[in-house]
Amino acid sequence: MSQIKEVTLRPRTFDRMYKLRLLNFYVPSHGKRTNVHISRSLECLPDELSYLRWDFFPLKSLPPSFYAAKLVELDLKHSLVERLWNGVQ
């Protein structure tokens, strides 16, 4: 389990993480908020992701450049997401 207290992500944080397949920002059941923040927006997620869990995802949609062809599981509990992406994925 991570010991990181707070982290702020920049818009292009994941830009060069080409082989990232698992992304898990988990908040324990006793937690009421996330310790992961996004400075303005999130411009990209790695297209190789097969598992994405992000409790309390703070944005209204996933980045428009994210191509979810390899995504097997998506878990966005307690998120602000209104739509995942535009068009068909």
Side-chain angles (χ1 to χ4, degrees):
M1 189 155 176
S2 174
Q3 299 300 317
I4 297 172
K5 301 291 184 208
E6 297 278 327
V7 64
T8 300
L9 303 176
R10 294 182 181 181
R12 301 200 64 85
T13 297
F14 300 106
D15 194 30
R16 295 185 183 187
M17 296 186 189
Y18 305 114
K19 295 186 180 191
L20 186 67
R21 297 179 200 273
L22 182 140
L23 186 58
N24 186 7
F25 291 119
Y26 166 74
V27 176
S29 60
H30 63 276
K32 299 197 188 243
R33 65 178 196 86
T34 183
N35 60 351
V36 179
H37 310 283
I38 298 174
S39 64
R40 292 183 306 272
S41 68
L42 193 58
E43 293 179 11
C44 60
L45 283 171
D47 291 339
E48 294 293 316
L49 277 180
S50 59
Y51 178 87
L52 173 59
R53 177 180 181 166
W54 195 323
D55 294 350
F56 295 94
F57 184 73
L59 303 175
K60 292 184 178 186
S61 69
L62 295 175
S65 64
F66 177 54
Y67 183 62
K70 297 185 179 183
L71 195 62
V72 174
E73 185 167 338
L74 176 66
D75 187 348
L76 301 173
K77 287 183 179 78
H78 311 292
S79 74
L80 299 177
V81 170
E82 294 176 357
R83 66 180 158 73
L84 293 175
W85 42 70
N86 292 326
V88 178
Q89 278 273 337

